[in-house]
């Protein structure tokens, strides 16, 4: 067992989430969610498959990610965040690996994400730029 695997555990149990902490992280430090209201974050959590990364000894939450998915054909990985105090140790990569492992049995045709600065992290897990971005469209703010 690696040192990282011994130090952290990952769970999709929504009861374990520290919602206040997740909201604080995202609304104050994540460029894509700055100013997100708590009620909006709670709704996002309720409508998603959530992943928490927890210190094995204390159970304190140190990372978060969520996937919007039908668990049959499609998923959108978003709100991936690692507590600044836990960065630089591979926790973000381990979290993405846990998400990928959890989704693998469902045989989703496509899992998408958007990132401004972490392309290298996601590329390690098979994510790549869209081959035909001209086919994709968005509704809403960009």
């Amino acid at each position: 067992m690696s040192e990282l695997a011994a130090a952290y555990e990952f769970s999709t149990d929504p009861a374990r989430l520290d919602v206040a902490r997740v909201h604080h992280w995202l609304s104050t430090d994540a460029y894509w969610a700055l100013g997100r209201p708590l009620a909006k974050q709670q709704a996002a959590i309720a409508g998603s498959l959530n992943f928490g990364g927890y210190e094995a000894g204390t159970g304190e939450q140190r990372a978060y990610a969520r996937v919007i998915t039908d668990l049959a054909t499609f998923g959108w990985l978003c709100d991936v965040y690692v507590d600044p105090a836990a960065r630089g140790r591979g926790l973000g990569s381990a979290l993405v690996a846990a998400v990928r492992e959890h989704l693998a049995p469902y045989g989703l045709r496509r899992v998408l994400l958007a990132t401004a600065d972490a392309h290298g992290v996601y590329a390690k897990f098979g994510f790549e730029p869209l081959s035909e971005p001209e086919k994709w469209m968005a509704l809403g703010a960009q």
Side-chain angles (χ1 to χ4, degrees):
M1 178 183 295
S2 75
E3 183 178 323
L4 184 67
Y8 295 98
E9 60 186 5
F10 301 98
S11 174
T12 59
D13 180 357
R16 290 191 67 185
L17 290 176
D18 184 338
V19 175
R21 177 176 283 196
V22 169
H23 173 254
H24 176 76
W25 284 339
L26 297 177
S27 68
T28 65
D29 191 42
Y31 66 85
W32 64 90
L34 293 175
R36 183 182 289 168
L38 176 59
K40 185 69 77 173
Q41 186 62 52
Q42 290 169 324
I45 288 170
S48 302
L49 173 61
N50 300 279
F51 292 81
Y54 305 91
E55 287 185 2
T58 66
E60 187 173 357
Q61 188 169 353
R62 292 296 186 183
Y64 175 75
R66 68 186 179 94
V67 178
I68 303 151
T69 183
D70 58 11
L71 294 176
T73 63
F74 179 80
W76 177 265
L77 174 59
C78 57
D79 287 348
V80 178
Y81 189 90
V82 174
D83 184 339
R87 290 182 186 163
R89 300 180 202 147
L91 179 54
S93 292
L95 176 61
V96 174
V99 169
R100 183 176 149 183
E101 182 178 310
H102 184 90
L103 294 176
Y106 297 102
L108 303 181
R109 179 175 178 190
R110 182 173 289 117
V111 177
L112 295 178
L113 62 84
T115 183
D117 57 2
H119 296 81
V121 171
Y122 297 108
K124 292 186 294 188
F125 299 97
F127 286 91
E128 54 191 37
L130 294 172
S131 61
E132 298 178 279
E134 66 279 1
K135 288 184 175 181
W136 294 86
M137 298 179 72
L139 175 64
Q142 295 192 31

